[in-house]
Amino acid sequence: MAHEHLLGIGYVALVDSAPLIVAREGGFFARQGLQVILQREPSWASLRDHLLFGDLVAAHALAPLPLAATLGIASPRIPVMTALTLSLNGNAITVSMALHRQLTDAGLTGGDQPLMAATTLRRIMQAEPARKPRFAVVSPVSNHHYQLRHWLRAAGIDPATEVQISVVPPRYMVEALRTGEIDGYCVGEPWGSLAAVEGVGMPIVSGYALWNNMMEKVLAVREDWALTRPEIHQALIRAVLSASRWLDDPQHRLEAVPWVAAAIDVPAQVVALALTGAVPGLPKCEDFHVFTRYSANFPWHSHAYWLVRQMQAAGQWPKDADAATLIPRIYRSAEYRQAARALQIAAPRQDSVAWGTHVQPWSLVDDQGNSIRMGADRIFDGSEILA
């Protein structure tokens, strides 16, 4: 086996790293002639830096990372691209047991109701004007940060002045909640479920309820590596795409639980809660984690435009950066379609669709004229991105 096929791929200890774990454990990398070393990183910052400076050829990455790295937003400025989305959804806003009791006393009932949860928090804050709730996110450039800010703003809470938002790596979230350093966080699983299982916090809002079926993690590669190693990049996409398809079968998810639990060093029963959508405190949701259905793996330009809008709202987007030029360069639909064709997987015909307009499942046309079933893409406050 050629040495250049020995690939270092980074991931962070989250359940949505599952496609990479399954690609290794299930032999999908090997079937594409790839020898892979998976490297668990302690934080998103360390993973990003190891990818940007060449220690890793690819990474399980936050969906906005390719944009942020290419533009140098809270990151070294090195062009990164993605031709494969790894997952949709998967985050939750979790609060301490003390704050959860206050929210319940103030009228928050069960269910996954973002607006009700946010307005209840606002009532608590109005009753204690000196108090500034402390929330944590995994990175300033992440869906977690943007979802938290969007959720707060919807209830009239200014995320810049009325709450404190800090960055904590995923693995340290539960401990920060336990010690009282923070009152809540937005993070990917299993860290919401683990807080509940350990009795230190309770999930109250899912990322799915905030933004139905939004691109969450991507397979990120440096642009220069992908353009000079197109065959290996294609083999990598095919392997992970095949693993993702395998993983969306409910029975296979249960088979994957011990693999993922070992790879992220979390008890198997907690991983099982996340992979089956049975997160404590939230209604069971079969779409809590989506790995393939609804054309999940396609690098939608409409999702990328939504991320740009969130970066603008957070004051991160450079005024001179042109999204219309950058997005096709960074979110590579042609490379995805090439790999999908090789595996006889239907690929969407267009790069963008109206997003935020579908309350129910719907369908679109693939590049062969056949129908692809899509999931709801409602955004909790009625926001939209038009194609």
Side-chain angles (χ1 to χ4, degrees), residues 196-244:
V197 167
E198 295 192 355
V200 299
M202 188 59 69
I204 58 167
V205 176
S206 71
Y208 176 84
L210 292 167
W211 303 344
N212 294 170
N213 294 311
M214 174 63 186
M215 171 168 62
E216 174 53 37
K217 300 300 188 307
V218 298
L219 183 70
V221 293
R222 271 177 52 144
E223 184 184 73
D224 57 0
W225 179 85
L227 297 180
T228 55
R229 298 277 196 282
E231 300 87 1
I232 300 178
H233 188 213
Q234 280 294 307
L236 185 56
I237 296 167
R238 290 193 303 267
V240 181
L241 191 48
S242 300
S244 299

Coordinates of all heavy atoms in Angstrom, one line a residue, residues 196-244:
A196 N -27.4 14.9 32.0 CA -28.6 14.5 32.6 C -28.4 13.1 33.4 O -28.9 13.0 34.5 CB -29.7 14.3 31.5
V197 N -27.7 12.2 32.8 CA -27.5 10.9 33.4 C -26.7 11.1 34.7 O -26.9 10.4 35.7 CB -26.7 10.0 32.4 CG1 -26.1 8.8 33.1 CG2 -27.6 9.6 31.3
E198 N -25.8 12.1 34.8 CA -25.0 12.3 36.0 C -25.7 13.3 36.9 O -25.2 13.6 38.0 CB -23.6 12.8 35.6 CG -22.8 11.8 34.8 CD -21.3 12.2 34.7 OE1 -20.9 13.3 35.1 OE2 -20.6 11.3 34.2
G199 N -26.9 13.8 36.6 CA -27.7 14.6 37.5 C -27.2 16.0 37.7 O -27.5 16.6 38.7
V200 N -26.4 16.5 36.7 CA -25.9 17.9 36.8 C -26.5 18.9 35.9 O -26.3 20.1 36.0 CB -24.3 17.9 36.7 CG1 -23.6 17.1 37.7 CG2 -23.9 17.5 35.3
G201 N -27.3 18.4 34.9 CA -28.0 19.3 34.0 C -29.1 18.7 33.3 O -29.2 17.4 33.4
M202 N -29.8 19.4 32.5 CA -30.9 18.9 31.7 C -31.1 19.6 30.4 O -31.1 20.8 30.3 CB -32.3 19.1 32.5 CG -33.4 18.4 31.9 SD -33.2 16.6 31.7 CE -33.3 16.1 33.4
P203 N -31.1 18.8 29.3 CA -31.3 19.4 27.9 C -32.7 20.0 27.9 O -33.7 19.4 28.4 CB -31.2 18.3 27.0 CG -30.3 17.3 27.7 CD -30.7 17.4 29.1
I204 N -32.9 21.2 27.3 CA -34.2 21.9 27.2 C -34.6 22.2 25.8 O -35.8 22.4 25.5 CB -34.3 23.2 28.1 CG1 -33.2 24.2 27.7 CG2 -34.2 22.8 29.6 CD1 -33.4 25.6 28.3
V205 N -33.6 22.4 24.9 CA -33.9 22.7 23.5 C -32.9 21.9 22.6 O -31.7 21.9 22.9 CB -33.7 24.2 23.2 CG1 -33.9 24.5 21.8 CG2 -34.7 25.1 24.1
S206 N -33.4 21.3 21.6 CA -32.5 20.6 20.6 C -32.2 21.5 19.5 O -32.9 22.4 19.1 CB -33.2 19.4 20.1 OG -34.3 19.7 19.2
G207 N -31.0 21.3 18.9 CA -30.6 22.0 17.7 C -31.6 21.7 16.6 O -31.9 22.6 15.8
Y208 N -32.2 20.5 16.5 CA -33.2 20.2 15.5 C -34.4 21.1 15.6 O -34.9 21.6 14.6 CB -33.7 18.7 15.7 CG -34.8 18.4 14.7 CD1 -34.5 18.0 13.4 CD2 -36.1 18.4 15.1 CE1 -35.5 17.7 12.5 CE2 -37.1 18.1 14.2 CZ -36.8 17.8 12.9 OH -37.8 17.5 12.0
A209 N -34.9 21.4 16.9 CA -36.1 22.3 17.0 C -35.7 23.7 16.6 O -36.6 24.4 16.2 CB -36.5 22.2 18.5
L210 N -34.5 24.1 16.8 CA -34.1 25.5 16.4 C -34.0 25.6 14.9 O -34.6 26.5 14.3 CB -32.7 25.8 17.0 CG -32.7 26.0 18.5 CD1 -31.3 26.0 19.1 CD2 -33.4 27.3 19.0
W211 N -33.2 24.7 14.3 CA -33.0 24.7 12.8 C -33.2 23.3 12.3 O -32.2 22.5 12.4 CB -31.6 25.2 12.4 CG -31.2 26.5 13.0 CD1 -32.0 27.5 13.5 CD2 -29.8 27.0 13.0 NE1 -31.2 28.6 13.8 CE2 -29.9 28.3 13.5 CE3 -28.6 26.5 12.6 CZ2 -28.7 29.1 13.7 CZ3 -27.5 27.2 12.8 CH2 -27.5 28.5 13.3
N212 N -34.3 22.9 11.8 CA -34.5 21.5 11.3 C -33.5 21.2 10.2 O -33.4 21.8 9.2 CB -35.9 21.4 10.6 CG -37.1 21.5 11.5 OD1 -38.2 21.6 11.1 ND2 -36.9 21.6 12.8
N213 N -32.8 20.1 10.5 CA -31.9 19.5 9.5 C -30.9 20.4 8.8 O -30.7 20.5 7.6 CB -32.8 18.8 8.4 CG -33.6 17.7 8.9 OD1 -33.1 16.8 9.6 ND2 -34.9 17.7 8.7
M214 N -30.2 21.1 9.7 CA -29.1 22.0 9.3 C -27.7 21.2 9.3 O -27.5 20.4 10.2 CB -29.0 23.1 10.3 CG -27.8 24.1 10.0 SD -27.9 24.9 8.4 CE -26.3 25.7 8.4
M215 N -26.9 21.5 8.3 CA -25.6 20.9 8.2 C -24.8 21.2 9.5 O -24.8 22.4 10.0 CB -24.8 21.6 7.0 CG -23.4 21.4 6.9 SD -22.7 22.0 5.3 CE -23.1 23.7 5.3
E216 N -24.3 20.2 10.2 CA -23.7 20.4 11.5 C -22.2 20.1 11.4 O -21.4 21.0 11.8 CB -24.3 19.5 12.5 CG -23.7 19.4 13.9 CD -23.5 20.8 14.5 OE1 -24.4 21.7 14.3 OE2 -22.5 21.1 15.1
K217 N -21.7 19.0 11.0 CA -20.3 18.7 10.8 C -20.0 18.4 9.4 O -20.9 17.9 8.7 CB -19.8 17.5 11.7 CG -20.1 17.7 13.2 CD -19.3 18.9 13.8 CE -19.4 19.0 15.3 NZ -20.8 18.9 15.9
V218 N -18.8 18.7 9.0 CA -18.3 18.4 7.6 C -17.0 17.7 7.6 O -16.3 17.7 8.6 CB -18.2 19.7 6.8 CG1 -19.6 20.4 6.7 CG2 -17.2 20.7 7.3
L219 N -16.7 17.0 6.5 CA -15.3 16.5 6.3 C -14.5 17.6 5.7 O -14.7 17.9 4.5 CB -15.4 15.2 5.5 CG -14.0 14.5 5.3 CD1 -13.6 13.8 6.6 CD2 -14.1 13.5 4.1
A220 N -13.6 18.2 6.5 CA -12.8 19.3 6.0 C -11.4 18.9 5.6 O -10.8 18.0 6.2 CB -12.7 20.4 7.1
V221 N -11.0 19.4 4.5 CA -9.6 19.2 4.0 C -9.0 20.5 3.6 O -9.7 21.4 3.2 CB -9.6 18.2 2.8 CG1 -10.0 16.8 3.2 CG2 -10.5 18.7 1.6
R222 N -7.7 20.6 3.6 CA -7.0 21.8 3.1 C -7.2 21.8 1.6 O -7.1 20.8 0.9 CB -5.5 21.8 3.4 CG -5.2 22.4 4.7 CD -3.7 22.3 5.0 NE -2.8 22.8 4.0 CZ -1.7 23.4 4.2 NH1 -1.3 23.7 5.5 NH2 -0.9 23.8 3.2
E223 N -7.5 23.0 1.0 CA -7.8 23.1 -0.4 C -6.6 22.6 -1.2 O -6.7 21.9 -2.2 CB -8.1 24.6 -0.7 CG -8.4 24.8 -2.2 CD -8.6 26.3 -2.5 OE1 -7.6 27.0 -2.5 OE2 -9.8 26.7 -2.6
D224 N -5.3 23.0 -0.8 CA -4.2 22.6 -1.6 C -4.0 21.1 -1.7 O -3.6 20.5 -2.7 CB -2.9 23.3 -1.2 CG -2.5 23.1 0.3 OD1 -3.3 22.4 1.0 OD2 -1.5 23.7 0.7
W225 N -4.3 20.4 -0.5 CA -4.2 18.9 -0.5 C -5.2 18.3 -1.4 O -4.9 17.4 -2.2 CB -4.4 18.4 1.0 CG -4.3 16.9 1.0 CD1 -3.2 16.2 1.2 CD2 -5.4 16.0 1.0 NE1 -3.5 14.8 1.2 CE2 -4.9 14.7 1.1 CE3 -6.8 16.2 0.8 CZ2 -5.7 13.6 1.0 CZ3 -7.6 15.0 0.8 CH2 -7.0 13.7 0.9
A226 N -6.4 18.8 -1.3 CA -7.5 18.2 -2.1 C -7.3 18.3 -3.6 O -7.5 17.4 -4.4 CB -8.9 18.8 -1.7
L227 N -6.8 19.5 -4.0 CA -6.6 19.8 -5.4 C -5.4 19.0 -6.0 O -5.3 18.8 -7.2 CB -6.4 21.3 -5.7 CG -7.7 22.1 -5.3 CD1 -7.4 23.6 -5.6 CD2 -8.9 21.6 -6.0
T228 N -4.4 18.7 -5.2 CA -3.2 17.9 -5.7 C -3.4 16.4 -5.4 O -2.6 15.6 -6.0 CB -1.9 18.4 -5.0 OG1 -2.1 18.3 -3.6 CG2 -1.6 19.8 -5.4
R229 N -4.4 16.0 -4.7 CA -4.6 14.6 -4.4 C -6.1 14.2 -4.7 O -6.8 13.7 -3.8 CB -4.3 14.2 -2.9 CG -2.9 14.5 -2.5 CD -2.0 13.3 -2.8 NE -0.8 13.3 -2.1 CZ 0.2 14.1 -2.4 NH1 0.2 14.9 -3.4 NH2 1.4 14.0 -1.7
P230 N -6.6 14.5 -5.9 CA -8.0 14.3 -6.2 C -8.5 12.9 -6.0 O -9.6 12.6 -5.6 CB -8.2 14.9 -7.6 CG -6.8 14.9 -8.2 CD -5.9 15.1 -7.1
E231 N -7.6 11.9 -6.4 CA -8.0 10.5 -6.4 C -8.2 10.1 -4.9 O -9.1 9.3 -4.5 CB -7.0 9.6 -7.1 CG -6.9 9.9 -8.5 CD -5.8 11.0 -8.8 OE1 -5.2 11.5 -7.8 OE2 -5.6 11.3 -10.0
I232 N -7.3 10.5 -4.1 CA -7.3 10.1 -2.6 C -8.5 10.8 -2.0 O -9.2 10.2 -1.2 CB -6.0 10.4 -1.9 CG1 -4.9 9.6 -2.6 CG2 -6.1 10.0 -0.4 CD1 -3.5 9.9 -2.0
H233 N -8.7 12.1 -2.3 CA -9.9 12.8 -1.8 C -11.2 12.1 -2.2 O -12.1 11.9 -1.3 CB -9.8 14.2 -2.3 CG -10.9 15.1 -1.7 ND1 -11.5 16.1 -2.4 CD2 -11.4 15.1 -0.4 CE1 -12.3 16.8 -1.5 NE2 -12.3 16.2 -0.4
Q234 N -11.3 11.7 -3.4 CA -12.5 10.9 -3.8 C -12.6 9.6 -3.1 O -13.8 9.3 -2.7 CB -12.4 10.7 -5.4 CG -12.8 11.8 -6.2 CD -14.3 12.2 -6.0 OE1 -15.2 11.4 -6.2 NE2 -14.6 13.5 -5.7
A235 N -11.6 8.9 -2.9 CA -11.6 7.6 -2.1 C -12.1 7.9 -0.7 O -12.9 7.1 -0.1 CB -10.3 6.9 -2.2
L236 N -11.6 8.9 -0.1 CA -12.0 9.3 1.2 C -13.5 9.7 1.3 O -14.2 9.2 2.2 CB -11.1 10.5 1.7 CG -11.2 11.0 3.1 CD1 -11.0 9.9 4.1 CD2 -10.3 12.2 3.3
I237 N -14.0 10.4 0.3 CA -15.4 10.8 0.3 C -16.2 9.5 0.1 O -17.2 9.3 0.9 CB -15.7 11.8 -0.8 CG1 -14.9 13.1 -0.6 CG2 -17.2 12.1 -0.9 CD1 -14.9 14.0 -1.8
R238 N -15.8 8.7 -0.8 CA -16.6 7.4 -1.0 C -16.7 6.6 0.3 O -17.7 6.0 0.6 CB -16.0 6.6 -2.2 CG -16.2 7.2 -3.5 CD -15.8 6.3 -4.6 NE -14.5 5.7 -4.5 CZ -13.4 6.2 -5.2 NH1 -13.5 7.3 -5.9 NH2 -12.2 5.6 -5.0
A239 N -15.6 6.4 1.0 CA -15.5 5.6 2.2 C -16.4 6.2 3.2 O -17.2 5.4 3.8 CB -14.1 5.5 2.7
V240 N -16.4 7.5 3.5 CA -17.2 8.1 4.6 C -18.7 8.1 4.1 O -19.6 7.9 5.0 CB -16.7 9.4 4.9 CG1 -17.5 10.0 6.1 CG2 -15.2 9.4 5.4
L241 N -18.9 8.3 2.9 CA -20.3 8.3 2.4 C -20.9 6.9 2.5 O -22.1 6.8 3.0 CB -20.3 8.7 0.9 CG -21.6 9.1 0.2 CD1 -22.5 10.0 1.0 CD2 -21.3 9.7 -1.2
S242 N -20.2 5.9 2.2 CA -20.7 4.5 2.4 C -20.9 4.2 3.9 O -21.9 3.6 4.2 CB -19.6 3.5 1.9 OG -19.4 3.8 0.5
A243 N -20.0 4.7 4.8 CA -20.2 4.5 6.2 C -21.4 5.2 6.7 O -22.2 4.7 7.6 CB -19.0 4.9 7.0
S244 N -21.7 6.4 6.2 CA -22.8 7.2 6.6 C -24.1 6.5 6.2 O -25.1 6.5 7.0 CB -22.8 8.6 6.0 OG -21.6 9.3 6.4

